[in-house]
């Protein structure tokens, strides 16, 4: 699974680009040449004082100090062509150079801290939603995830593929909200799903387990909100206390849509259960069709269970592929406000050598002129051809 890396450059620990290191040196050479050639007609020598702060963004403290020393030396040399600076002028330039050295030192420390924090954050996010392997049991997999919030690897969408005693099971879901605020709910659902793969013999029981997980999290969030509201109301007076209690009584509600798939061992079929999620697409030869599955209620409403869940069996032929996705794909719009026609574009995209999920993403970026504003998850599953 490929993950987006936002703004790859020296802000994330890599060395500064070549142009950033060359720019202050080139400006130094140009200013000296202009000053020499004009012989005092154009006084540009004191522009040299602005170069150490520029160098601080590309060099470390030592490099910036060397740059500031060169600038001071040039300003004091008659052959450089600048007007003879007085002691106060040189002291000002020296103070600027010293401040630039401090800026360079602070920048390097902040860059190191940023790299450390980002490394830890990426490790934590990848632990929540690890890359999908190319094959899980007999099922071949290909996944792609793009979070809407810049600089993050995990948002409000989720998917996972696991093998257990009842076959290979896959989950594609979309929780309420997106970005980092939804990561906790994503982690809870994935944990419950991985337990259900091992413990629950029926796919409907897995959906009921996910539903109970969200209900428990909702109740826990509501209890925390009520306790916080009670503490605030005790410290307030009059109408302010009433308003605090009223705001705290609003219970948060967590819900999610999900698509559960099961590949039973030894059978050329897939069982599908939908909890209010967009239907999966079946790619058979050059034809694309939606898998007709009666959707059940979303998770987190206390309605998912064996009595309401409808599990559909779909026979698979050699070469068939299933594409499960979240609504970040089909609800993406172009400049004219048209929705992305995923099913219509798949026949042409499935022949791309880069892979189906990557081809869909690139086509989606072009369609929306830069990429959708919602989280996107794509998961392609297939049985090996006999």
């Amino acid at each position: 699974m490929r993950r987006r890396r936002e703004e790859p450059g020296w802000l994330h620990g890599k060395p500064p680009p070549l142009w950033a290191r060359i720019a202050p040196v080139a400006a130094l050479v140009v200013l000296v040449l202009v000053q020499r050639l004009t012989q005092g007609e154009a006084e540009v020598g004191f522009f040299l004082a602005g170069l150490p702060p520029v160098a601080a963004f590309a060099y470390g403290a030592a490099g910036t100090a060397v740059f500031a020393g060169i600038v001071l030396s040039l300003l004091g040399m008659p052959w450089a062509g600048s007007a003879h600076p007085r002691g106060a002028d040189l002291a000002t330039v020296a103070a600027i150079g010293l401040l630039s050295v401090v800026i360079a030192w602070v920048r390097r420390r902040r860059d190191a801290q940023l790299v450390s924090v980002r490394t830890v954050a990426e490790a934590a996010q990848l632990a929540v939603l690890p890359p999908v392997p190319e094959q899980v049991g007999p099922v071949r997999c290909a996944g792609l995830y793009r979070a809407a919030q810049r600089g993050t690897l995990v948002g409000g969408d989720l998917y996972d593929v696991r093998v257990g005693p009842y076959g290979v099971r896959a989950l594609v879901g979309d929780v309420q909200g997106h970005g980092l605020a939804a990561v906790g709910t994503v982690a809870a659902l994935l944990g419950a799903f991985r337990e259900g793969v091992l413990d629950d013999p029926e796919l409907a029981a897995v959906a009921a387990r996910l539903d109970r997980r969200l209900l428990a999290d909702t109740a826990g969030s509501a209890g925390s909100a009520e306790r916080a509201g009670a503490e605030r109301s005790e410290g307030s007076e009059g109408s302010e206390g009433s308003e605090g209690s009223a705001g705290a009584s609003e219970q948060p509600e967590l819900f999610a849509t999900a698509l559960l798939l099961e590949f039973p061992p030894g059978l050329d079929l897939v069982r599908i259960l939908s909890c209010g999620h967009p239907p999966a697409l079946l790619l058979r030869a050059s034809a694309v069709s939606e898998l007709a599955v009666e959707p059940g209620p979303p998770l987190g409403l206390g309605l998912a269970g064996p009595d309401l869940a409808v599990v559909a069996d779909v026979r698979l032929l050699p070469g068939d592929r299933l594409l499960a996705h979240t609504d970040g794909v089909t609800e993406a719009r172009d400049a004219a406000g048209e929705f992305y026609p995923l099913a219509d574009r798949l026949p042409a995209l499935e022949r791309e050598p880069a892979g189906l999920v990557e081809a869909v993403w690139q086509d989606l970026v072009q369609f929306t002129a830069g990429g959708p504003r919602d989280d996107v998850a794509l998961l392609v599953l297939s049985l090996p051809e006999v």
Side-chain angles (χ1 to χ4, degrees):
M1 179 182 63
R2 301 175 180 176
R3 296 292 183 90
R4 177 175 53 186
R5 294 293 187 270
E6 296 287 351
E7 301 173 359
W10 82 91
L11 292 180
H12 288 164
K14 294 185 178 180
L18 185 60
W19 64 264
R21 301 178 70 88
I22 292 178
V25 178
L28 176 67
V29 173
V30 170
L31 288 175
V32 171
L33 288 177
V34 170
Q35 188 66 58
R36 285 285 294 167
L37 294 175
T38 57
Q39 294 296 326
E41 295 180 5
E43 182 56 51
V44 297
F46 283 102
F47 282 102
L48 294 171
L51 296 182
V54 176
F57 289 97
Y59 295 88
T64 305
V66 171
F67 212 92
I70 294 174
V71 169
L72 281 172
S73 300
L74 289 175
L75 288 177
M77 291 180 180
W79 62 267
S82 61
H84 297 292
R86 293 175 296 178
D89 298 326
L90 291 176
T92 301
V93 175
I96 294 175
L98 179 61
L99 180 61
S100 301
V101 171
V102 174
I103 292 174
W105 179 77
V106 172
R107 181 189 62 82
R108 279 292 178 89
R109 284 182 58 87
R110 294 295 298 273
D111 284 354
Q113 293 174 353
L114 177 61
V115 171
S116 177
V117 170
R118 183 173 178 82
T119 301
V120 172
E122 288 187 355
Q125 292 178 77
L126 288 175
V128 172
L129 191 65
V132 173
E134 294 183 358
Q135 185 162 339
V136 178
V139 179
R140 294 176 179 174
C141 314
L144 181 141
Y145 194 103
R146 295 293 185 267
Q149 186 169 337
R150 294 175 62 86
T152 62
L153 303 179
V154 180
D157 290 356
L158 64 146
Y159 59 65
D160 199 6
V161 185
R162 298 279 164 162
V163 62
Y166 310 105
V168 176
R169 287 171 171 171
L171 167 68
V172 179
D174 185 357
V175 309
Q176 174 191 14
H178 58 80
L180 291 176
V183 173
T185 308
V186 167
L189 283 177
L190 288 173
F193 170 72
R194 291 161 188 168
E195 292 177 357
V197 168
L198 300 176
D199 299 337
D200 298 327
E202 300 295 334
L203 203 58
V206 179
R209 179 187 291 265
L210 300 179
D211 187 62
R212 292 194 304 270
R213 177 72 269 171
L214 286 185
L215 287 174
D217 288 351
T218 299
S221 300
S224 299
E226 289 177 357
R227 288 191 297 271
E231 292 175 357
R232 286 196 301 267
S233 62
E234 289 176 359
S236 59
E237 297 179 359
S239 60
E240 294 181 358
S242 300
E243 292 175 358
S245 300
S249 63
E250 297 180 0
Q251 297 186 1
E253 186 177 53
L254 301 176
F255 65 89
T257 64
L259 191 70
L260 291 163
L261 302 97
E262 178 182 271
F263 296 84
L267 300 178
D268 293 333
L269 61 84
V270 60
R271 295 191 176 108
I272 304 178
L273 187 154
S274 175
C275 299
H277 198 78
L281 300 176
L282 173 64
L283 288 78
R284 176 170 292 169
S286 59
V288 178
S289 59
E290 286 189 355
L291 294 180
V293 179
E294 183 178 346
L299 303 172
L301 304 181
L303 300 176
D307 297 335
L308 294 177
V310 178
V311 179
D313 290 355
V314 178
R315 182 70 58 181
L316 296 178
L317 301 178
D320 286 353
R321 286 182 290 175
L322 298 172
L323 174 60
H325 59 87
T326 56
D327 59 9
V329 179
T330 52
E331 293 184 1
R333 298 171 182 259
D334 61 6
E338 298 293 331
F339 290 108
Y340 179 70
L342 176 61
D344 296 337
R345 291 181 178 251
L346 276 183
L349 297 176
E350 67 172 343
R351 294 187 291 271
E352 292 292 331
L356 180 60
V357 292
E358 188 65 32
V360 171
W361 171 251
Q362 295 299 332
D363 188 58
L364 187 59
V365 170
Q366 295 179 3
F367 181 84
T368 57
R373 297 182 180 180
D374 196 3
D375 301 320
V376 167
L378 294 165
L379 183 64
V380 176
L381 304 170
S382 63
L383 291 174
E385 298 184 18
V386 180

